[in-house]
Amino acid sequence: MSVFPAHTQVSNTPLGIGYILIAVSLFGIMDALVKWLTAGYPTVQIMFFRSLFAFPPILLMVWRSAGGAGNDRGNTLANALMLLKTRQLAGHGLRSVFGCGAMLLFFYSYQFLPLAEVTAIAFAAPIFIACLSVWLLQERVGLHRWSAIIVGFVGMLVIIRPGSGMLESASLIVVMATLLYALAIIQIRRLSRLEPSTTIAFWFTAFCTLFTGLALPFFWVTPGVTDLLLLIGTGLIGGTAQLCMTRAYGLAPAAVVAPFDYTHLLWSVLIGWYVWGDFPDAQTWIGCAIVIASGLYILYRETVRRVRVPPILTE
């Protein structure tokens, strides 16, 4: 799932759409690799590789933002170091706690649920964000968005189908992961008022690598060559997807880019069906449609609101 940034500088909408489609497909592949690996490796170990090997793409993003396309390497290095400098270390730490917790629960849930069902429940993130922003960001939420929030939660209940035993328990793990993800996004909104997205991405990757690295000795399982390559691949693919997503929101407005994030479900369905033989039933499709419609309406209302009421602080 991606973030719905408040403000972007539009320069190439078709290219922005292309980048988000690439990002979503890469996230779908990364999710499949994680689900495959959870059968033999602890979630903490998978998270460590996901974080550590996301550094090359993240550093490439920092290098490009610092002017890496030019010829002055010394100036680029100085700019890159300035981008990585932060006065919000505690804020990055809090964002990382939420983000790492969400990643841990999402990855853990892949052992019990099909990819498509995890993705469908995770689509409720904008609904949680809209709800929590009232208290945490002091944002005003009108009747239209409150109605969409309620409808979205109904859709989530349709997917979870309370009373279904083990399926319900596993689904609640995804709901908790989605809640933590929403808290992480709200913290990103706070940080982005003061620091660029490259800085936020770098420090999250650094903190997550540190957290999982400290715990790794207690969970380590020595991988074979093939599995080692797959573990490394989760990081490289995930980091590249993050890079593409960041570029997408930098090239086109969020109102155009964000709806394409929902194509993630198609990748989850196709990969889950091809590899594990999982295919969502009618109730999951109905619940997912409700959640997606609610999320899109919330995005629409937020877009209208930002046009009508110029923000005091921009991200």
Side-chain angles (χ1 to χ4, degrees), residues 233-269:
T234 60
L236 293 175
I237 293 172
T240 303
Q242 184 71 38
L243 175 62
C244 291
M245 189 178 72
T246 301
R247 286 289 293 153
Y249 281 105
L251 290 167
V256 173
V257 173
F260 288 93
D261 186 50
Y262 290 106
T263 60
H264 192 165
L265 180 64
L266 297 178
W267 286 101
S268 297
V269 170

PDB file of all heavy atoms in Angstrom, residues 233-269:
ATOM      1  N   GLY A 233      16.693 -10.815  -2.696  1.00  0.00           N
ATOM      2  CA  GLY A 233      15.760 -10.274  -3.682  1.00  0.00           C
ATOM      3  C   GLY A 233      14.609  -9.509  -3.056  1.00  0.00           C
ATOM      4  O   GLY A 233      14.145  -8.509  -3.626  1.00  0.00           O
ATOM      5  N   THR A 234      14.140  -9.949  -1.887  1.00  0.00           N
ATOM      6  CA  THR A 234      13.051  -9.221  -1.232  1.00  0.00           C
ATOM      7  C   THR A 234      13.455  -7.777  -0.935  1.00  0.00           C
ATOM      8  O   THR A 234      12.648  -6.851  -1.096  1.00  0.00           O
ATOM      9  CB  THR A 234      12.626  -9.906   0.079  1.00  0.00           C
ATOM     10  OG1 THR A 234      13.730  -9.960   0.987  1.00  0.00           O
ATOM     11  CG2 THR A 234      12.108 -11.302  -0.178  1.00  0.00           C
ATOM     12  N   GLY A 235      14.701  -7.590  -0.510  1.00  0.00           N
ATOM     13  CA  GLY A 235      15.173  -6.243  -0.212  1.00  0.00           C
ATOM     14  C   GLY A 235      15.366  -5.407  -1.464  1.00  0.00           C
ATOM     15  O   GLY A 235      14.919  -4.254  -1.529  1.00  0.00           O
ATOM     16  N   LEU A 236      16.016  -5.973  -2.469  1.00  0.00           N
ATOM     17  CA  LEU A 236      16.277  -5.228  -3.700  1.00  0.00           C
ATOM     18  C   LEU A 236      14.970  -4.857  -4.405  1.00  0.00           C
ATOM     19  O   LEU A 236      14.798  -3.728  -4.876  1.00  0.00           O
ATOM     20  CB  LEU A 236      17.157  -6.051  -4.636  1.00  0.00           C
ATOM     21  CG  LEU A 236      18.595  -6.310  -4.159  1.00  0.00           C
ATOM     22  CD1 LEU A 236      19.316  -7.241  -5.130  1.00  0.00           C
ATOM     23  CD2 LEU A 236      19.368  -4.998  -4.014  1.00  0.00           C
ATOM     24  N   ILE A 237      14.052  -5.813  -4.471  1.00  0.00           N
ATOM     25  CA  ILE A 237      12.778  -5.555  -5.139  1.00  0.00           C
ATOM     26  C   ILE A 237      11.940  -4.560  -4.338  1.00  0.00           C
ATOM     27  O   ILE A 237      11.352  -3.624  -4.893  1.00  0.00           O
ATOM     28  CB  ILE A 237      12.003  -6.875  -5.351  1.00  0.00           C
ATOM     29  CG1 ILE A 237      12.756  -7.758  -6.348  1.00  0.00           C
ATOM     30  CG2 ILE A 237      10.586  -6.604  -5.840  1.00  0.00           C
ATOM     31  CD1 ILE A 237      12.187  -9.150  -6.482  1.00  0.00           C
ATOM     32  N   GLY A 238      11.890  -4.761  -3.007  1.00  0.00           N
ATOM     33  CA  GLY A 238      11.125  -3.837  -2.168  1.00  0.00           C
ATOM     34  C   GLY A 238      11.670  -2.419  -2.212  1.00  0.00           C
ATOM     35  O   GLY A 238      10.911  -1.453  -2.300  1.00  0.00           O
ATOM     36  N   GLY A 239      12.994  -2.284  -2.163  1.00  0.00           N
ATOM     37  CA  GLY A 239      13.600  -0.955  -2.237  1.00  0.00           C
ATOM     38  C   GLY A 239      13.369  -0.290  -3.575  1.00  0.00           C
ATOM     39  O   GLY A 239      13.109   0.915  -3.658  1.00  0.00           O
ATOM     40  N   THR A 240      13.443  -1.070  -4.665  1.00  0.00           N
ATOM     41  CA  THR A 240      13.189  -0.536  -6.000  1.00  0.00           C
ATOM     42  C   THR A 240      11.739  -0.106  -6.143  1.00  0.00           C
ATOM     43  O   THR A 240      11.438   0.935  -6.751  1.00  0.00           O
ATOM     44  CB  THR A 240      13.527  -1.587  -7.074  1.00  0.00           C
ATOM     45  OG1 THR A 240      14.891  -1.985  -6.930  1.00  0.00           O
ATOM     46  CG2 THR A 240      13.319  -1.023  -8.473  1.00  0.00           C
ATOM     47  N   ALA A 241      10.822  -0.898  -5.569  1.00  0.00           N
ATOM     48  CA  ALA A 241       9.407  -0.531  -5.595  1.00  0.00           C
ATOM     49  C   ALA A 241       9.184   0.786  -4.862  1.00  0.00           C
ATOM     50  O   ALA A 241       8.415   1.649  -5.321  1.00  0.00           O
ATOM     51  CB  ALA A 241       8.571  -1.641  -4.968  1.00  0.00           C
ATOM     52  N   GLN A 242       9.848   0.968  -3.717  1.00  0.00           N
ATOM     53  CA  GLN A 242       9.734   2.219  -2.968  1.00  0.00           C
ATOM     54  C   GLN A 242      10.248   3.390  -3.793  1.00  0.00           C
ATOM     55  O   GLN A 242       9.651   4.472  -3.811  1.00  0.00           O
ATOM     56  CB  GLN A 242      10.527   2.114  -1.663  1.00  0.00           C
ATOM     57  CG  GLN A 242      10.409   3.318  -0.751  1.00  0.00           C
ATOM     58  CD  GLN A 242       9.028   3.424  -0.119  1.00  0.00           C
ATOM     59  OE1 GLN A 242       8.440   2.421   0.244  1.00  0.00           O
ATOM     60  NE2 GLN A 242       8.516   4.638  -0.005  1.00  0.00           N
ATOM     61  N   LEU A 243      11.347   3.179  -4.503  1.00  0.00           N
ATOM     62  CA  LEU A 243      11.920   4.216  -5.352  1.00  0.00           C
ATOM     63  C   LEU A 243      10.933   4.603  -6.450  1.00  0.00           C
ATOM     64  O   LEU A 243      10.709   5.789  -6.716  1.00  0.00           O
ATOM     65  CB  LEU A 243      13.229   3.705  -5.964  1.00  0.00           C
ATOM     66  CG  LEU A 243      13.934   4.601  -6.983  1.00  0.00           C
ATOM     67  CD1 LEU A 243      14.335   5.913  -6.339  1.00  0.00           C
ATOM     68  CD2 LEU A 243      15.164   3.894  -7.547  1.00  0.00           C
ATOM     69  N   CYS A 244      10.325   3.599  -7.098  1.00  0.00           N
ATOM     70  CA  CYS A 244       9.377   3.867  -8.179  1.00  0.00           C
ATOM     71  C   CYS A 244       8.129   4.577  -7.652  1.00  0.00           C
ATOM     72  O   CYS A 244       7.598   5.487  -8.306  1.00  0.00           O
ATOM     73  CB  CYS A 244       8.977   2.560  -8.863  1.00  0.00           C
ATOM     74  SG  CYS A 244      10.297   1.792  -9.824  1.00  0.00           S
ATOM     75  N   MET A 245       7.663   4.187  -6.473  1.00  0.00           N
ATOM     76  CA  MET A 245       6.487   4.819  -5.895  1.00  0.00           C
ATOM     77  C   MET A 245       6.755   6.283  -5.574  1.00  0.00           C
ATOM     78  O   MET A 245       5.923   7.159  -5.822  1.00  0.00           O
ATOM     79  CB  MET A 245       6.039   4.075  -4.641  1.00  0.00           C
ATOM     80  CG  MET A 245       4.708   4.539  -4.101  1.00  0.00           C
ATOM     81  SD  MET A 245       4.185   3.594  -2.644  1.00  0.00           S
ATOM     82  CE  MET A 245       5.329   4.222  -1.423  1.00  0.00           C
ATOM     83  N   THR A 246       7.941   6.562  -5.026  1.00  0.00           N
ATOM     84  CA  THR A 246       8.307   7.937  -4.716  1.00  0.00           C
ATOM     85  C   THR A 246       8.355   8.787  -5.976  1.00  0.00           C
ATOM     86  O   THR A 246       7.872   9.920  -6.006  1.00  0.00           O
ATOM     87  CB  THR A 246       9.669   7.972  -4.002  1.00  0.00           C
ATOM     88  OG1 THR A 246       9.599   7.198  -2.807  1.00  0.00           O
ATOM     89  CG2 THR A 246      10.060   9.401  -3.645  1.00  0.00           C
ATOM     90  N   ARG A 247       8.926   8.226  -7.051  1.00  0.00           N
ATOM     91  CA  ARG A 247       8.982   8.937  -8.333  1.00  0.00           C
ATOM     92  C   ARG A 247       7.580   9.188  -8.873  1.00  0.00           C
ATOM     93  O   ARG A 247       7.294  10.247  -9.435  1.00  0.00           O
ATOM     94  CB  ARG A 247       9.793   8.129  -9.341  1.00  0.00           C
ATOM     95  CG  ARG A 247      11.289   8.158  -9.098  1.00  0.00           C
ATOM     96  CD  ARG A 247      11.870   9.526  -9.416  1.00  0.00           C
ATOM     97  NE  ARG A 247      11.780   9.813 -10.848  1.00  0.00           N
ATOM     98  CZ  ARG A 247      11.713  11.042 -11.357  1.00  0.00           C
ATOM     99  NH1 ARG A 247      11.699  12.083 -10.547  1.00  0.00           N
ATOM    100  NH2 ARG A 247      11.645  11.230 -12.659  1.00  0.00           N
ATOM    101  N   ALA A 248       6.691   8.217  -8.710  1.00  0.00           N
ATOM    102  CA  ALA A 248       5.331   8.357  -9.229  1.00  0.00           C
ATOM    103  C   ALA A 248       4.635   9.556  -8.601  1.00  0.00           C
ATOM    104  O   ALA A 248       4.026  10.379  -9.303  1.00  0.00           O
ATOM    105  CB  ALA A 248       4.539   7.081  -8.965  1.00  0.00           C
ATOM    106  N   TYR A 249       4.745   9.668  -7.276  1.00  0.00           N
ATOM    107  CA  TYR A 249       4.078  10.774  -6.584  1.00  0.00           C
ATOM    108  C   TYR A 249       4.800  12.096  -6.804  1.00  0.00           C
ATOM    109  O   TYR A 249       4.234  13.156  -6.523  1.00  0.00           O
ATOM    110  CB  TYR A 249       3.961  10.465  -5.092  1.00  0.00           C
ATOM    111  CG  TYR A 249       2.826   9.521  -4.775  1.00  0.00           C
ATOM    112  CD1 TYR A 249       3.064   8.192  -4.456  1.00  0.00           C
ATOM    113  CD2 TYR A 249       1.515   9.961  -4.799  1.00  0.00           C
ATOM    114  CE1 TYR A 249       2.027   7.321  -4.170  1.00  0.00           C
ATOM    115  CE2 TYR A 249       0.462   9.103  -4.523  1.00  0.00           C
ATOM    116  CZ  TYR A 249       0.724   7.785  -4.207  1.00  0.00           C
ATOM    117  OH  TYR A 249      -0.312   6.938  -3.933  1.00  0.00           O
ATOM    118  N   GLY A 250       6.027  12.052  -7.296  1.00  0.00           N
ATOM    119  CA  GLY A 250       6.726  13.275  -7.628  1.00  0.00           C
ATOM    120  C   GLY A 250       6.414  13.767  -9.029  1.00  0.00           C
ATOM    121  O   GLY A 250       6.654  14.926  -9.357  1.00  0.00           O
ATOM    122  N   LEU A 251       5.851  12.906  -9.866  1.00  0.00           N
ATOM    123  CA  LEU A 251       5.576  13.257 -11.251  1.00  0.00           C
ATOM    124  C   LEU A 251       4.107  13.558 -11.523  1.00  0.00           C
ATOM    125  O   LEU A 251       3.778  14.195 -12.526  1.00  0.00           O
ATOM    126  CB  LEU A 251       6.018  12.106 -12.177  1.00  0.00           C
ATOM    127  CG  LEU A 251       7.525  11.889 -12.305  1.00  0.00           C
ATOM    128  CD1 LEU A 251       7.813  10.552 -12.985  1.00  0.00           C
ATOM    129  CD2 LEU A 251       8.169  13.026 -13.093  1.00  0.00           C
ATOM    130  N   ALA A 252       3.218  13.083 -10.675  1.00  0.00           N
ATOM    131  CA  ALA A 252       1.789  13.248 -10.922  1.00  0.00           C
ATOM    132  C   ALA A 252       1.056  13.478  -9.606  1.00  0.00           C
ATOM    133  O   ALA A 252       1.542  13.078  -8.546  1.00  0.00           O
ATOM    134  CB  ALA A 252       1.236  12.008 -11.635  1.00  0.00           C
ATOM    135  N   PRO A 253      -0.115  14.104  -9.660  1.00  0.00           N
ATOM    136  CA  PRO A 253      -0.868  14.365  -8.421  1.00  0.00           C
ATOM    137  C   PRO A 253      -1.373  13.086  -7.779  1.00  0.00           C
ATOM    138  O   PRO A 253      -1.662  12.096  -8.461  1.00  0.00           O
ATOM    139  CB  PRO A 253      -2.025  15.252  -8.898  1.00  0.00           C
ATOM    140  CG  PRO A 253      -2.138  15.000 -10.352  1.00  0.00           C
ATOM    141  CD  PRO A 253      -0.778  14.674 -10.842  1.00  0.00           C
ATOM    142  N   ALA A 254      -1.493  13.110  -6.459  1.00  0.00           N
ATOM    143  CA  ALA A 254      -1.920  11.928  -5.722  1.00  0.00           C
ATOM    144  C   ALA A 254      -3.290  11.441  -6.179  1.00  0.00           C
ATOM    145  O   ALA A 254      -3.556  10.233  -6.220  1.00  0.00           O
ATOM    146  CB  ALA A 254      -1.953  12.233  -4.222  1.00  0.00           C
ATOM    147  N   ALA A 255      -4.186  12.383  -6.532  1.00  0.00           N
ATOM    148  CA  ALA A 255      -5.530  11.995  -6.959  1.00  0.00           C
ATOM    149  C   ALA A 255      -5.504  11.139  -8.223  1.00  0.00           C
ATOM    150  O   ALA A 255      -6.410  10.346  -8.459  1.00  0.00           O
ATOM    151  CB  ALA A 255      -6.384  13.240  -7.196  1.00  0.00           C
ATOM    152  N   VAL A 256      -4.465  11.290  -9.031  1.00  0.00           N
ATOM    153  CA  VAL A 256      -4.322  10.491 -10.248  1.00  0.00           C
ATOM    154  C   VAL A 256      -3.586   9.189  -9.961  1.00  0.00           C
ATOM    155  O   VAL A 256      -3.967   8.118 -10.431  1.00  0.00           O
ATOM    156  CB  VAL A 256      -3.576  11.290 -11.339  1.00  0.00           C
ATOM    157  CG1 VAL A 256      -3.281  10.409 -12.552  1.00  0.00           C
ATOM    158  CG2 VAL A 256      -4.387  12.506 -11.751  1.00  0.00           C
ATOM    159  N   VAL A 257      -2.517   9.269  -9.160  1.00  0.00           N
ATOM    160  CA  VAL A 257      -1.641   8.120  -8.937  1.00  0.00           C
ATOM    161  C   VAL A 257      -2.261   7.091  -7.986  1.00  0.00           C
ATOM    162  O   VAL A 257      -2.235   5.887  -8.247  1.00  0.00           O
ATOM    163  CB  VAL A 257      -0.279   8.587  -8.384  1.00  0.00           C
ATOM    164  CG1 VAL A 257       0.581   7.396  -7.973  1.00  0.00           C
ATOM    165  CG2 VAL A 257       0.449   9.418  -9.432  1.00  0.00           C
ATOM    166  N   ALA A 258      -2.826   7.558  -6.868  1.00  0.00           N
ATOM    167  CA  ALA A 258      -3.258   6.655  -5.798  1.00  0.00           C
ATOM    168  C   ALA A 258      -4.244   5.572  -6.244  1.00  0.00           C
ATOM    169  O   ALA A 258      -4.119   4.419  -5.807  1.00  0.00           O
ATOM    170  CB  ALA A 258      -3.854   7.469  -4.650  1.00  0.00           C
ATOM    171  N   PRO A 259      -5.241   5.876  -7.090  1.00  0.00           N
ATOM    172  CA  PRO A 259      -6.155   4.794  -7.486  1.00  0.00           C
ATOM    173  C   PRO A 259      -5.472   3.607  -8.157  1.00  0.00           C
ATOM    174  O   PRO A 259      -5.950   2.473  -8.042  1.00  0.00           O
ATOM    175  CB  PRO A 259      -7.115   5.496  -8.462  1.00  0.00           C
ATOM    176  CG  PRO A 259      -7.110   6.924  -8.015  1.00  0.00           C
ATOM    177  CD  PRO A 259      -5.692   7.183  -7.585  1.00  0.00           C
ATOM    178  N   PHE A 260      -4.356   3.837  -8.830  1.00  0.00           N
ATOM    179  CA  PHE A 260      -3.654   2.735  -9.493  1.00  0.00           C
ATOM    180  C   PHE A 260      -2.997   1.790  -8.486  1.00  0.00           C
ATOM    181  O   PHE A 260      -2.626   0.665  -8.834  1.00  0.00           O
ATOM    182  CB  PHE A 260      -2.603   3.284 -10.461  1.00  0.00           C
ATOM    183  CG  PHE A 260      -3.189   3.897 -11.694  1.00  0.00           C
ATOM    184  CD1 PHE A 260      -3.455   5.256 -11.756  1.00  0.00           C
ATOM    185  CD2 PHE A 260      -3.497   3.116 -12.796  1.00  0.00           C
ATOM    186  CE1 PHE A 260      -4.012   5.829 -12.891  1.00  0.00           C
ATOM    187  CE2 PHE A 260      -4.050   3.671 -13.935  1.00  0.00           C
ATOM    188  CZ  PHE A 260      -4.311   5.036 -13.977  1.00  0.00           C
ATOM    189  N   ASP A 261      -2.861   2.254  -7.238  1.00  0.00           N
ATOM    190  CA  ASP A 261      -2.301   1.384  -6.206  1.00  0.00           C
ATOM    191  C   ASP A 261      -3.193   0.175  -5.958  1.00  0.00           C
ATOM    192  O   ASP A 261      -2.722  -0.876  -5.523  1.00  0.00           O
ATOM    193  CB  ASP A 261      -2.112   2.190  -4.919  1.00  0.00           C
ATOM    194  CG  ASP A 261      -1.391   1.406  -3.839  1.00  0.00           C
ATOM    195  OD1 ASP A 261      -0.334   0.834  -4.146  1.00  0.00           O
ATOM    196  OD2 ASP A 261      -1.885   1.355  -2.710  1.00  0.00           O
ATOM    197  N   TYR A 262      -4.471   0.318  -6.253  1.00  0.00           N
ATOM    198  CA  TYR A 262      -5.396  -0.790  -6.023  1.00  0.00           C
ATOM    199  C   TYR A 262      -5.204  -1.943  -7.014  1.00  0.00           C
ATOM    200  O   TYR A 262      -5.783  -3.018  -6.835  1.00  0.00           O
ATOM    201  CB  TYR A 262      -6.839  -0.289  -6.068  1.00  0.00           C
ATOM    202  CG  TYR A 262      -7.195   0.570  -4.872  1.00  0.00           C
ATOM    203  CD1 TYR A 262      -7.335   1.951  -4.980  1.00  0.00           C
ATOM    204  CD2 TYR A 262      -7.369   0.000  -3.619  1.00  0.00           C
ATOM    205  CE1 TYR A 262      -7.644   2.734  -3.885  1.00  0.00           C
ATOM    206  CE2 TYR A 262      -7.677   0.768  -2.505  1.00  0.00           C
ATOM    207  CZ  TYR A 262      -7.812   2.137  -2.645  1.00  0.00           C
ATOM    208  OH  TYR A 262      -8.102   2.907  -1.544  1.00  0.00           O
ATOM    209  N   THR A 263      -4.398  -1.732  -8.056  1.00  0.00           N
ATOM    210  CA  THR A 263      -4.061  -2.856  -8.951  1.00  0.00           C
ATOM    211  C   THR A 263      -3.192  -3.886  -8.228  1.00  0.00           C
ATOM    212  O   THR A 263      -2.966  -4.976  -8.772  1.00  0.00           O
ATOM    213  CB  THR A 263      -3.337  -2.359 -10.211  1.00  0.00           C
ATOM    214  OG1 THR A 263      -2.119  -1.695  -9.845  1.00  0.00           O
ATOM    215  CG2 THR A 263      -4.212  -1.396 -11.005  1.00  0.00           C
ATOM    216  N   HIS A 264      -2.724  -3.536  -7.040  1.00  0.00           N
ATOM    217  CA  HIS A 264      -1.978  -4.493  -6.216  1.00  0.00           C
ATOM    218  C   HIS A 264      -2.802  -5.762  -5.997  1.00  0.00           C
ATOM    219  O   HIS A 264      -2.261  -6.874  -5.957  1.00  0.00           O
ATOM    220  CB  HIS A 264      -1.649  -3.841  -4.872  1.00  0.00           C
ATOM    221  CG  HIS A 264      -0.654  -4.590  -4.049  1.00  0.00           C
ATOM    222  ND1 HIS A 264      -0.004  -4.036  -2.980  1.00  0.00           N
ATOM    223  CD2 HIS A 264      -0.183  -5.865  -4.120  1.00  0.00           C
ATOM    224  CE1 HIS A 264       0.814  -4.926  -2.434  1.00  0.00           C
ATOM    225  NE2 HIS A 264       0.710  -6.051  -3.116  1.00  0.00           N
ATOM    226  N   LEU A 265      -4.121  -5.594  -5.886  1.00  0.00           N
ATOM    227  CA  LEU A 265      -4.990  -6.750  -5.671  1.00  0.00           C
ATOM    228  C   LEU A 265      -4.908  -7.727  -6.846  1.00  0.00           C
ATOM    229  O   LEU A 265      -4.919  -8.949  -6.651  1.00  0.00           O
ATOM    230  CB  LEU A 265      -6.427  -6.299  -5.459  1.00  0.00           C
ATOM    231  CG  LEU A 265      -7.441  -7.417  -5.216  1.00  0.00           C
ATOM    232  CD1 LEU A 265      -7.130  -8.156  -3.922  1.00  0.00           C
ATOM    233  CD2 LEU A 265      -8.862  -6.869  -5.191  1.00  0.00           C
ATOM    234  N   LEU A 266      -4.830  -7.198  -8.057  1.00  0.00           N
ATOM    235  CA  LEU A 266      -4.761  -8.075  -9.233  1.00  0.00           C
ATOM    236  C   LEU A 266      -3.500  -8.930  -9.195  1.00  0.00           C
ATOM    237  O   LEU A 266      -3.542 -10.130  -9.491  1.00  0.00           O
ATOM    238  CB  LEU A 266      -4.790  -7.227 -10.509  1.00  0.00           C
ATOM    239  CG  LEU A 266      -6.061  -6.403 -10.742  1.00  0.00           C
ATOM    240  CD1 LEU A 266      -5.926  -5.591 -12.021  1.00  0.00           C
ATOM    241  CD2 LEU A 266      -7.277  -7.308 -10.793  1.00  0.00           C
ATOM    242  N   TRP A 267      -2.384  -8.306  -8.819  1.00  0.00           N
ATOM    243  CA  TRP A 267      -1.136  -9.074  -8.707  1.00  0.00           C
ATOM    244  C   TRP A 267      -1.238 -10.125  -7.609  1.00  0.00           C
ATOM    245  O   TRP A 267      -0.778 -11.254  -7.772  1.00  0.00           O
ATOM    246  CB  TRP A 267       0.030  -8.133  -8.433  1.00  0.00           C
ATOM    247  CG  TRP A 267       0.433  -7.351  -9.639  1.00  0.00           C
ATOM    248  CD1 TRP A 267       0.114  -6.053  -9.935  1.00  0.00           C
ATOM    249  CD2 TRP A 267       1.211  -7.822 -10.747  1.00  0.00           C
ATOM    250  NE1 TRP A 267       0.653  -5.690 -11.144  1.00  0.00           N
ATOM    251  CE2 TRP A 267       1.332  -6.751 -11.659  1.00  0.00           C
ATOM    252  CE3 TRP A 267       1.832  -9.031 -11.050  1.00  0.00           C
ATOM    253  CZ2 TRP A 267       2.040  -6.863 -12.853  1.00  0.00           C
ATOM    254  CZ3 TRP A 267       2.536  -9.143 -12.236  1.00  0.00           C
ATOM    255  CH2 TRP A 267       2.635  -8.083 -13.122  1.00  0.00           C
ATOM    256  N   SER A 268      -1.844  -9.755  -6.483  1.00  0.00           N
ATOM    257  CA  SER A 268      -1.988 -10.708  -5.379  1.00  0.00           C
ATOM    258  C   SER A 268      -2.862 -11.893  -5.792  1.00  0.00           C
ATOM    259  O   SER A 268      -2.565 -13.040  -5.463  1.00  0.00           O
ATOM    260  CB  SER A 268      -2.596 -10.005  -4.164  1.00  0.00           C
ATOM    261  OG  SER A 268      -1.739  -8.987  -3.686  1.00  0.00           O
ATOM    262  N   VAL A 269      -3.935 -11.603  -6.517  1.00  0.00           N
ATOM    263  CA  VAL A 269      -4.825 -12.669  -6.968  1.00  0.00           C
ATOM    264  C   VAL A 269      -4.124 -13.581  -7.960  1.00  0.00           C
ATOM    265  O   VAL A 269      -4.159 -14.820  -7.838  1.00  0.00           O
ATOM    266  CB  VAL A 269      -6.106 -12.078  -7.590  1.00  0.00           C
ATOM    267  CG1 VAL A 269      -6.924 -13.175  -8.282  1.00  0.00           C
ATOM    268  CG2 VAL A 269      -6.951 -11.394  -6.524  1.00  0.00           C
TER     269      VAL A 269
END
